[in-house]
Amino acid sequence: MNIGKWISDFFSPSKDKRIDIGRRNVLGAAVVGLAGGVLMKGNPLDMGRTYNDGLIRPPGSLAEEEFLDRCIRCGECMKVCPTNVVQPVMLEAGLEGMWTPVLKQEL
């Protein structure tokens, strides 16, 4: 395969190989993205924040509401934990708290 042809086809494809993204598709994707963001942040039954008070956050963490605002879910605290007690939360903290760190003790 000719690499030069492949690169030129990638950056400027012929008219029959172009993807036709219409205005309706772009607007539909924007609406779905915004609706998904709103649904991830709120609960329709309780318009305030909902989180599990039974979760034990890592040492030095903030109050739950501020913790959820500041945590970027990078996983660095889990990587440096020497005892592997800091683990990611799945759905125990709701959709907003997904992948945040929590202390889990194996019995």
Side-chain angles (χ1 to χ4, degrees):
M1 177 174 202
N2 187 356
I3 298 293
K5 182 174 177 355
W6 183 86
I7 292 173
S8 67
D9 285 347
F10 181 79
F11 287 108
S12 59
S14 61
K15 288 196 182 231
D16 61 331
K17 292 183 181 178
R18 290 185 184 163
I19 297 173
D20 182 27
I21 301 176
R23 185 183 310 168
R24 186 175 293 173
N25 291 340
V26 171
L27 289 175
V31 168
V32 168
L34 288 172
V38 168
L39 290 175
M40 293 288 268
K41 286 289 186 181
N43 183 352
L45 301 176
D46 182 5
M47 291 314 235
R49 290 196 171 191
T50 57
Y51 44 81
N52 188 349
D53 289 330
L55 296 176
I56 302 171
R57 296 297 183 179
S61 63
L62 306 165
E64 186 71 13
E65 189 169 335
E66 194 173 355
F67 177 77
L68 290 175
D69 284 339
R70 290 189 177 194
C71 179
I72 60 171
R73 293 142 180 91
C74 65
E76 289 299 316
C77 56
M78 296 172 226
K79 290 178 189 174
V80 300
C81 178
T83 57
N84 248 1
V85 174
V86 181
Q87 296 293 320
V89 168
M90 294 305 168
L91 292 175
E92 297 100 319
L95 290 175
E96 187 178 9
M98 199 169 195
W99 294 105
T100 57
V102 68
L103 297 179
K104 289 190 177 181
Q105 183 179 4
E106 298 292 327
L107 296 175

